Amino acid sequence: MSKPEDKPKKHVVFFIDKEKFESDQADLPARTLLADFAKEDPTLTTLATRHGDELKRYTTDEIVHIENGMKFIVLHNTPPTVS
């Protein structure tokens, strides 16, 4: 007989800038998604989701509830340099 803690952890699959990631936690700070998954500097970037024409920006300390298949984009806060 298996115990409840023997159940396999549920993974959520999500995308940041079209790159696929998985986590066993559905609630993560935006800072963690940017730094640990997207490998972006949270002080220079903003995590966002797009729903039609609406853009939802997350603050770095905001806890994001991730749903399976969710798609995020990374917005760069600094203007691009022209070479």
Side-chain angles (χ1 to χ4, degrees), residues 7-66:
K7 280 185 177 179
K9 286 187 174 183
K10 187 176 181 182
H11 279 42
V12 288
V13 175
F14 58 95
F15 300 85
I16 302 176
D17 285 344
K18 299 182 182 176
E19 189 173 345
K20 181 180 175 182
F21 297 98
E22 289 185 33
S23 175
D24 57 3
Q25 298 178 46
D27 296 301
L28 290 168
R31 176 184 309 279
T32 300
L33 292 169
L34 285 167
D36 296 350
F37 291 93
K39 304 298 184 216
E40 294 281 355
D41 184 342
T43 62
L44 302 175
T45 56
T46 301
L47 187 72
T49 55
R50 187 183 307 270
H51 297 285
D53 291 338
E54 187 179 319
L55 197 63
K56 162 69 173 136
R57 297 169 192 254
Y58 296 94
T59 62
T60 52
D61 295 324
E62 189 173 348
I63 301 297
V64 180
H65 178 72
I66 304 166

